[in-house]
Amino acid sequence: MADILFYHLTESTLEEALPALLERSLERGWHVVVQTGTEERRDALDQHLWTFRDDSFLAHATDREAYPAEQPILLTTGEGNQNAAQIRFLVDGATPPELSGYERAVFLFDGHDAAQLEAARGHWKTMKEAGHAVTYWQQTPDRRWERKA
């Protein structure tokens, strides 16, 4: 069973929070899949990860490009795990695939979006019922993560 983390964005946007989480995942030696709810969001994140900081970028590709299996970070709208990732990020209302093959899955959801909040509540219930270890993290005013459940 995977460890399932729910990250409730209250102070940052997805574009602000995701790169640091991806960097930490790569530091662990993990391959990463980021599943988005739409192709438009996937493509926007694709551009963002190349330019999110002046002194750095995150090497990645989308599932439209050649050699997805070789990518340290793969952005997708699909449910597959083409790069044998150990961690899967689900953003922008993405519907999760079966997650038991991952070490960790992270649901990142916007606390200012009622639809994303409702979807996260549903996923929480489903993941608990499936027997996954679930934890809930919320941002503090200084943008740190605080475990709430």
Side-chain angles (χ1 to χ4, degrees):
M1 289 305 202
D3 289 330
I4 310 292
L5 288 71
F6 287 81
Y7 280 22
H8 187 166
L9 296 164
T10 58
E11 306 298 324
S12 302
T13 64
L14 174 65
E15 289 79 8
E16 293 167 336
L18 183 61
L21 296 170
L22 295 176
E23 287 174 328
R24 283 189 224 132
S25 297
L26 293 176
E27 287 169 5
R28 289 177 176 243
W30 288 346
H31 278 202
V32 179
V33 169
V34 178
Q35 182 182 346
T36 63
T38 65
E39 290 181 3
E40 292 79 16
R41 178 65 113 173
R42 177 200 59 201
D43 295 344
L45 285 175
D46 178 29
Q47 292 302 310
H48 179 68
L49 294 179
W50 292 118
T51 62
F52 75 96
R53 203 168 50 213
D54 288 341
D55 64 343
S56 183
F57 66 90
L58 285 164
H60 68 280
T62 70
D63 54 1
R64 297 173 307 177
E65 298 169 47
Y67 311 109
E70 298 175 16
Q71 302 305 320
I73 299 172
L74 185 66
L75 306 176
T76 186
T77 57
E79 295 183 356
N81 187 5
Q82 296 174 301
N83 66 340
Q86 291 85 9
I87 184 168
R88 184 177 202 93
F89 287 86
L90 297 120
V91 303
D92 192 42
T95 302
E98 170 58 43
L99 296 173
S100 60
Y102 294 90
E103 290 186 41
R104 181 173 292 170
V106 179
F107 288 83
L108 277 151
F109 58 97
D110 183 344
H112 306 290
D113 182 317
Q116 286 190 32
L117 284 170
E118 189 61 31
R121 287 183 186 111
H123 293 314
W124 172 275
K125 182 178 178 184
T126 301
M127 294 300 133
K128 276 193 77 92
E129 289 173 353
H132 294 287
V134 297
T135 56
Y136 168 71
W137 300 80
Q138 187 174 35
Q139 281 187 312
T140 62
D142 64 352
R143 297 181 179 203
R144 296 185 186 273
W145 294 105
E146 182 176 283
R147 185 175 175 169
K148 298 283 189 171

